[in-house]
Amino acid sequence: TLPAWHFDAARARERLAATLGVASLAGSDADALPAAVGAAGALLEYVARTQGRAPTHLQGLRVHHGEDAVVLDAVARRNLEIVETIRGDAQPTLLSRMDRCATAAGSRLMRRWLQQPLRDAREAGRRHAALERLIEPRAALRAELARCVDFERIAARIALASARPRELAALRDALGALGPIARLLARLEADEPDAPLFGACRDALAVDPAIGAQLAETLLDEPAAMARDGGVIRPGHDGVLDELRAIDEHCDAYLAEFERAERARTGIANLRVGQNSVHGFFIEVTNGQADKVPLDYRRRQTLKNAERYITPELKAFEDKALSARERALARERELYDALLAALAPAVPALQRLGRAIAELDALASFADVAAEGRWTRPRLRPVPGIEIRGGRHPVVETMVERFTPNDCTIAPERRMLLVTGPNMGGKSTYMRQVALIALLAHCGSFVPAADCEIGPIDRIFTRIGASDDLAGGRSTFMVEMTEAATILAAAGPQSLVLMDEIGRGTSTFDGLSLAHAIAERLLQHNRAMTLFATHYFELVRLAQASPAAVNLHLGAAEHQGGIVFLHEVRPGPASRSYGLQVARLAGLPAPVVRRAGRMLEALEDRARADDDQLDLFAVDGGPAADRAGSRVDDAGPAAHEPGDPPAGAPASGDPREARLAEALAAIDPDALNPRQALEALYRLRALLDGAAT
């Protein structure tokens, strides 16, 4: 946590102006945003403190306005699984599906594109046009891009004088790979003169060749990892360094030659010249040859059987040799720092180059996914609405053997799609795929659909799934209502809203009432483009009250007591929810499912007999409304007061028949073993015959 004075706007203005090399920020949009200026100043303070120097490579200040991109809040990014799954995993997500970039800069740009879709249809259209041209040469382009490095990051390291030798060597090699990319872009630009994106990228690739030449003549082909370790500067680049290296490298040869010469001069055949880290260089003579030692020898060390000496000539070479390595390392560091200083003026050009390579890499990745998945180019129109034919979920389609495509039509006169159908039927997948197709279209990508036309979208909201926020002290239902409140407060006619199973966290009638009121608000007040999935079949009557609401359902069919999900979106509401069949698929014990089935039949029979179907569209205060509160609290068909006839008991008044029906209703066949079942059967027969009370 930084102190508050780091965020002072006046202080930040001065720091920003000094960093950018301008007199003031008066000509910038940021001058009218003191909070943003204060935050930028705090960031500069942090960078300068952690890097040890001011970030001089920053070239300008941009203000991001809300109308530049389609707004995706944290809830929408999580529910649509753009960069991470709801569980927090890195895949499978939209980013993991789309990111086939050859460079780290391309992957970073891809992540930013997917989280900030363009609202400017012209800019998105330019990406679509470029993408269409890149489909065919994408393999060749991606092969050349794989030879590139992260130019933008290396440029920042050069500006901060923290670039490592191997990074500069990689920069040198990558600059040599730009020629084929530039020639490919020139051909694409010639074939498509109205594609300014290729021209801008090609211009950014025109880096001064002197940069690569300077790196080539200065650095070794494979330099050491760190400049302080030496082994970085190429031989022949600096005469002083070459001399120091020669002394260090030829020390052993000099000592061998000196030893041969001293043996010949003194006549001592076993004279030995050596060195160690404690005493340095020495001449060793055994005690038996001590009488032959010349007068110019000076004793350095006495051993048990020998004496060690030094001569003025050997001492002079020792001083020179022992300091040669340190002086060579220091000289190498000086030359490397000079190289970084010489490269500093090229930082802006390298940054432009890095942005161009990242953009080409992201587009090539888009092209590869589009070609492999047979995606189509969307059309962006000025009129709000979505028209998708044969749409598919970009992530789910790669994880199943066969994906069922579906259509989607949303228009001002068809603003709300009420989606019903069984759990596991594909409602959430259908809703998400519509949002992801719209998002990809505005990112400049092709989309997984047979045909697609998308109007302007300013925001994407989602209310899909929920869980407790224990740290924030919010229940599941509270989280749902908070997200719904955000949507109702901010959604407009150009907003895309996904509402999935709103109102599940409370009682049936509370949830149903809230779901109905929220749907009405979205339909009549917000007028947003809405996909509203629900199991409250009463909501399907909204389509009767408003022509802008349309009922759809996900098809399913029963087969041999089970259920088959067809995953097809069909017009009209679903006839039932198939909850018991889904419970059976989930592995719920068969006795539980059968018991639930009997209770469901009894509840449905009672509702039909009492004409007790809930109707939110009925006149307020009517009989149905009076009965609503008590019906949900019933304990079920098996719950009744002692002595009351059970549900379905005969009304003949015969006490034997009443006792028989009560005894029969109390039996759970699934809980009986054969002997207990036989005993129960005898008791029932006895009741029927009147032999028991």
Side-chain angles (χ1 to χ4, degrees), residues 8 33 55 66 79 130 161 175 177 182 358 365 374 451 544 586 672:
D8 180 67
L33 303 170
N79 288 334
L175 289 174
S365 182
R374 299 187 302 279
D451 187 70
Q544 301 173 7
L672 302 179

Side-chain angles (χ1 to χ4, degrees), residues 454-468:
I454 304 288
I457 295 176
D458 59 2
R459 300 189 65 159
I460 297 178
F461 295 96
T462 64
R463 218 311 315 148
I464 301 175
S467 59
D468 292 334

Side-chain angles (χ1 to χ4, degrees), residues 411-561:
E413 66 279 2
R414 180 189 166 100
R415 294 189 302 275
M416 176 173 285
L417 305 184
L418 293 162
V419 186
T420 52
N423 283 306
M424 301 277 298
K427 297 189 299 297
S428 295
T429 299
Y430 173 69
M431 295 168 63
R432 284 186 173 100
Q433 82 184 32
V434 172
L436 290 177
I437 288 173
L439 183 149
L440 287 171
H442 282 273
C443 287
S445 170
F446 284 10
V447 298
D451 187 70
C452 177
E453 192 170 355
I454 304 288
I457 295 176
D458 59 2
R459 300 189 65 159
I460 297 178
F461 295 96
T462 64
R463 218 311 315 148
I464 301 175
S467 59
D468 292 334
D469 178 10
L470 299 179
R474 299 189 301 168
S475 67
T476 301
F477 183 68
M478 185 63 178
V479 172
E480 287 188 2
M481 292 299 103
T482 302
E483 294 176 0
T486 301
I487 294 172
L488 294 180
Q494 293 187 2
S495 301
L496 178 60
V497 177
L498 310 185
M499 299 288 284
D500 189 12
E501 305 295 347
I502 191 74
R504 291 177 300 179
T506 185
S507 69
T508 302
F509 294 100
D510 283 350
L512 177 53
S513 303
L514 286 167
H516 180 266
I518 291 171
E520 270 190 342
R521 180 77 173 181
L522 287 169
L523 185 62
Q524 299 172 6
H525 177 78
N526 300 93
R527 304 180 67 82
M529 298 178 287
T530 307
L531 286 89
F532 201 105
T534 183
H535 281 288
Y536 295 134
F537 291 116
E538 290 78 5
L539 292 184
V540 302
R541 300 189 185 180
L542 275 173
Q544 301 173 7
S546 173
V550 178
N551 283 315
L552 301 175
H553 72 279
L554 273 296
E558 288 191 86
H559 177 67
Q560 296 181 351

Side-chain angles (χ1 to χ4, degrees), residues 20-21 32 34 47 94 127 161 183 256 354 371 386 403 427 443 455 469 494 513-514 586 634 638 647 659 662 678:
L20 300 176
V47 171
L94 183 64
R127 290 183 190 174
R183 290 191 290 273
I386 297 174
F403 189 92
K427 297 189 299 297
C443 287
D469 178 10
Q494 293 187 2
S513 303
L514 286 167
D634 290 345
R659 288 196 297 273
E662 185 174 358
L678 183 61

Side-chain angles (χ1 to χ4, degrees), residues 561 579-581 583-584 587-602 637 667-672:
L580 298 182
Q581 289 80 355
R584 184 181 292 110
L588 212 61
V592 175
V593 176
R594 286 195 293 270
R595 174 63 174 160
R598 290 194 297 272
M599 294 180 70
L600 176 62
E601 290 176 1
I667 294 175
D668 182 4
D670 296 312
L672 302 179

